[in-house]
Amino acid sequence: QSHPHEWSLWQRGLALFEKMGISSKAMSWAKRAAEANPGSLDACRELLALMDRYEDIDQAVLVAEAAIQHLPISSSGYFRTFYIKKKSDLSVDRATGLITEFIQNCGHPVASILETVRELVIAFAGQLAKNDLGWVHLANLAQKSISARISGPILASLLAAVASCAGDFSGNRNFDSARQLLKQATITAGSQSHDVWEAYFNFESTYGTPKDAANVHRQAIASLVDPQPFMNFVQGAL
């Protein structure tokens, strides 16, 4: 069983080798550190970052894949993001599965998980940028998440990331698709989740007209059981 102070000693050695510019020694040291501290997320992330810096991408992808397989799902977001970004022959189905599994198994919408959802979707969007059907896959992912009735904050984070990626694909019709997804999400979770309404309001404030944003504001006040958090959000955004 590893202890935090053991990893700190490995860190100091790693920093020394990097400072001396001995990349091969630093890499070897990082691998040994990860092996000696199998329960340490920091050790695994450090090894991955080092491989990335020294452009040993094939090995880095293998390390990320192993981490995804062995870590608790809620702790694997960083490695899933890295894997999606870096694996050049990653299939759309595999990427979608990695994201969906993370979303569906992280029931506690703390800030780090919400940020990871955004990073995962943005990484996925980057992979799909070369794909004519990229937006379709993103929209399908959002659709599945809405249908699964995942928690409001996580769903809102996913929808916000999808909406922000809408312009990266094949034209303004994607904004209409994003708008329809947001509308559907408010129908599914609208009376309880101010987070989803906030994502919808943000979307219309950014991409729509003042009238569109005002309509969302009015609908949210009428739909939410407790509209005060939404009203506070809008006040802070103005």
Side-chain angles (χ1 to χ4, degrees):
Q1 183 69 26
S2 60
H3 300 284
H5 70 273
E6 293 176 354
W7 167 236
S8 68
L9 292 174
W10 285 102
Q11 271 186 308
R12 275 181 275 187
L14 182 58
L16 178 63
F17 289 130
E18 285 215 85
K19 187 175 181 180
M20 295 170 64
I22 311 176
S23 60
S24 61
K25 192 71 174 175
M27 186 76 79
S28 174
W29 189 260
K31 289 177 180 176
R32 289 175 59 198
E35 290 168 359
N37 296 271
S40 170
L41 288 176
D42 289 334
C44 196
R45 287 178 69 142
E46 191 67 50
L47 174 58
L48 207 59
L50 196 66
M51 287 177 163
D52 193 25
R53 283 201 295 278
Y54 293 138
E55 298 185 350
D56 192 357
I57 302 301
D58 289 343
Q59 282 299 309
V61 165
L62 292 176
V63 169
E65 188 170 29
I68 292 166
Q69 290 172 355
H70 294 107
L71 288 172
I73 292 173
S74 60
S75 301
S76 66
Y78 171 85
F79 304 98
R80 288 168 187 260
T81 302
F82 185 96
Y83 187 78
I84 289 171
K85 282 182 179 177
K86 300 293 184 179
K87 187 164 176 58
S88 58
D89 59 347
L90 183 66
S91 72
V92 169
D93 286 345
R94 172 68 170 143
T96 302
L98 287 169
I99 299 171
T100 304
E101 183 181 49
F102 182 82
I103 290 171
Q104 291 179 344
N105 284 274
C106 292
H108 304 290
V110 296
S112 61
I113 286 177
L114 300 185
E115 183 58 33
T116 299
V117 170
R118 278 191 285 272
E119 290 172 356
L120 280 166
V121 174
I122 290 168
F124 186 37
Q127 283 282 31
L128 293 176
K130 308 166 196 168
N131 188 326
D132 290 339
L133 295 175
W135 173 255
V136 174
H137 292 300
L138 271 179
N140 284 343
L141 173 63
Q143 182 68 64
K144 287 178 182 177
S145 299
I146 293 169
S147 299
R149 296 181 179 270
I150 62 172
S151 79
I154 292 179
L155 177 59
S157 183
L158 169 64
L159 289 168
V162 169
S164 71
C165 296
D168 294 338
F169 295 97
S170 54
N172 289 335
R173 65 177 169 50
N174 294 327
F175 291 119
D176 293 332
S177 298
R179 181 176 281 118
Q180 289 304 314
L181 285 169
L182 285 158
K183 282 182 179 178
Q184 185 180 354
T186 61
I187 293 169
T188 301
S191 65
Q192 302 293 330
S193 178
H194 62 88
D195 305 271
V196 171
W197 281 106
E198 288 164 13
Y200 191 12
F201 180 82
N202 253 347
F203 176 84
E204 295 297 0
S205 298
T206 303
Y207 301 114
T209 66
K211 182 179 178 181
D212 294 327
N215 284 338
V216 172
H217 182 274
R218 185 176 63 255
Q219 292 166 22
I221 300 301
S223 300
L224 285 163
V225 173
D226 178 13
Q228 193 59 52
F230 173 79
M231 294 165 65
N232 294 342
F233 169 81
V234 171
Q235 188 63 37
L238 296 177

